[in-house]
Amino acid sequence: MSNLELMQNKLLEMMKWFHNYCVEHHIPYYMIGGTMLGAVRHKGFIPWDDDIDVGIPRKAYIRLVKEFYDKNGHYVLESPLSKDKKFSYPFAKLYDTRTLLIENTPYKLKRGIYIDVFPLDFISDTQEGCIKEINRITSLHKVVIAKNLTYKKDRVLKNKIAISLIHNFPERIMPINYLCRALDKFGYDHCKYNYSYGGNLYGQWGAKELMHKSIMGKPTLYKFQDSAFYGVEKYDEYLTNLYGNWRELPPEDKRITHHDYYLDMNKSYLDV
């Protein structure tokens, strides 16, 4: 069995547990991004994909982060509210404590295999207003992304310069955890209002992720490998927003994983 297959099997095991946890605690969630695409187009993982993304409406997300507990200790949920000042993401991650995964970022966090758990924030009553609002945090979000990127020779020159400048800026002046909390607070501050447009503010697709909440709709079960998980109700509109012609497979040279990490399936990061 390949490393990718081992990874997908572990992620599937985690997702089954997470699904049952959310059902038991009445937490609505959706498969989003490539995970939703995989569910519809492949009835499971995109064959070359090695992650799972879920989105949770902000109010339920807040409850999940505050109350999460696994009595067996196999899973831990971290978020920008984490006490670890090196936690470098503006969203939550569900970690399997029985594994060791070190992402190739400047922070080299020692954690386990994970599921990305994004808050879904609705921030305006119009598409135009939504884009105007998210533009307020776009620069901050780009800084957080850049602080998580490694310097690579094959990046375009302007990106290499930007990443280098940001990496050389003193961490004590611009700590990653502070920036992530600021991004998280932006979404949190909007959840008191019942706005109609928004989505995943911290995904890779930018404004394409912003849409009317009716597209997300009621969490709907979709077949995924040997299980069924919740996804967006109007999947065609959602996937078209993100990917355009999502039914067409990408060229073979694009069918690759995009994550860079060290992985040990047999060691707990708690013991490192």
Side-chain angles (χ1 to χ4, degrees):
M1 187 176 291
S2 69
N3 286 338
L4 178 58
E5 289 173 314
L6 289 171
M7 180 70 131
Q8 289 180 343
N9 286 345
K10 177 59 73 173
L11 286 169
L12 182 62
E13 174 189 318
M14 292 180 69
M15 189 62 195
K16 290 177 181 178
W17 185 92
F18 182 74
H19 168 84
N20 290 333
Y21 181 94
C22 288
V23 170
E24 180 183 349
H25 292 85
H26 308 289
I27 295 170
Y29 78 85
Y30 304 88
M31 293 180 287
I32 59 173
T35 309
M36 187 68 220
L37 175 59
V40 176
R41 194 172 68 190
H42 302 277
K43 309 302 180 188
F45 288 102
I46 296 173
W48 52 91
D49 207 1
D50 62 352
D51 68 353
I52 287 181
D53 295 332
V54 299
I56 299 178
R58 172 65 72 165
K59 289 183 180 179
Y61 172 89
I62 292 170
R63 182 160 56 87
L64 173 70
V65 169
K66 286 183 176 180
E67 300 176 2
F68 182 87
Y69 177 70
D70 173 22
K71 63 182 180 181
N72 295 316
H74 296 329
Y75 300 110
V76 167
L77 188 77
E78 285 195 71
S79 77
L81 300 180
S82 169
K83 294 180 181 179
D84 189 335
K85 293 183 179 180
K86 289 186 178 180
F87 185 81
S88 56
Y89 305 95
F91 50 87
K93 284 177 174 274
L94 178 72
Y95 293 110
D96 187 326
T97 64
R98 298 163 294 183
T99 62
L100 171 65
L101 186 150
I102 305 173
E103 290 190 275
N104 187 22
T105 74
Y107 297 98
K108 298 292 189 293
L109 282 179
K110 295 180 176 67
R111 294 294 190 271
I113 292 175
Y114 59 84
I115 292 175
D116 286 330
V117 183
F118 294 91
L120 298 177
D121 296 305
F122 295 89
I123 57 177
S124 179
D125 278 330
T126 66
Q127 183 79 10
E128 295 77 13
C130 202
I131 293 173
K132 183 178 180 180
E133 279 294 294
I134 200 174
N135 282 342
R136 292 171 51 197
I137 60 166
T138 296
S139 296
L140 180 58
H141 191 206
K142 287 182 178 179
V143 169
V144 169
I145 292 172
K147 286 173 79 71
N148 276 297
L149 292 175
T150 53
Y151 185 92
K152 293 183 179 180
K153 292 182 179 180
D154 59 350
R155 298 192 193 281
V156 298
L157 180 60
K158 67 175 183 179
N159 288 345
K160 287 194 289 187
I161 293 173
I163 292 169
S164 180
L165 288 172
I166 290 170
H167 284 185
N168 286 310
F169 201 80
E171 181 72 14
R172 67 181 183 276
I173 297 176
M174 193 169 58
I176 187 66
N177 189 251
Y178 174 81
L179 300 179
C180 290
R181 288 188 180 196
L183 285 172
D184 184 64
K185 186 177 185 299
F186 175 83
Y188 178 87
D189 287 345
H190 285 79
C191 75
K192 67 187 78 170
Y193 307 105
N194 190 29
Y195 288 127
S196 300
Y197 282 85
N200 178 15
L201 307 185
Y202 313 119
Q204 63 175 312
W205 299 104
K208 292 181 179 180
E209 305 225 27
L210 308 178
M211 57 195 77
H212 196 275
K213 64 172 57 176
S214 64
I215 293 178
M216 305 301 293
K218 180 181 178 181
T220 304
L221 284 173
Y222 293 86
K223 177 177 171 55
F224 195 95
Q225 304 296 113
D226 62 356
S227 300
F229 303 133
Y230 286 110
V232 303
E233 184 175 3
K234 297 180 180 178
Y235 68 85
D236 184 43
E237 291 177 62
Y238 174 80
L239 294 173
T240 300
N241 267 8
L242 261 61
Y243 303 109
N245 183 11
W246 57 269
R247 292 178 175 83
E248 182 178 334
L249 290 173
E252 286 194 23
D253 63 338
K254 300 296 184 182
R255 300 177 197 176
I256 55 175
T257 59
H258 296 287
H259 296 91
D260 184 12
Y261 49 74
Y262 166 82
L263 175 65
D264 190 331
M265 301 281 285
N266 300 307
K267 181 181 291 186
S268 168
Y269 72 84
L270 299 176
D271 297 330
V272 176

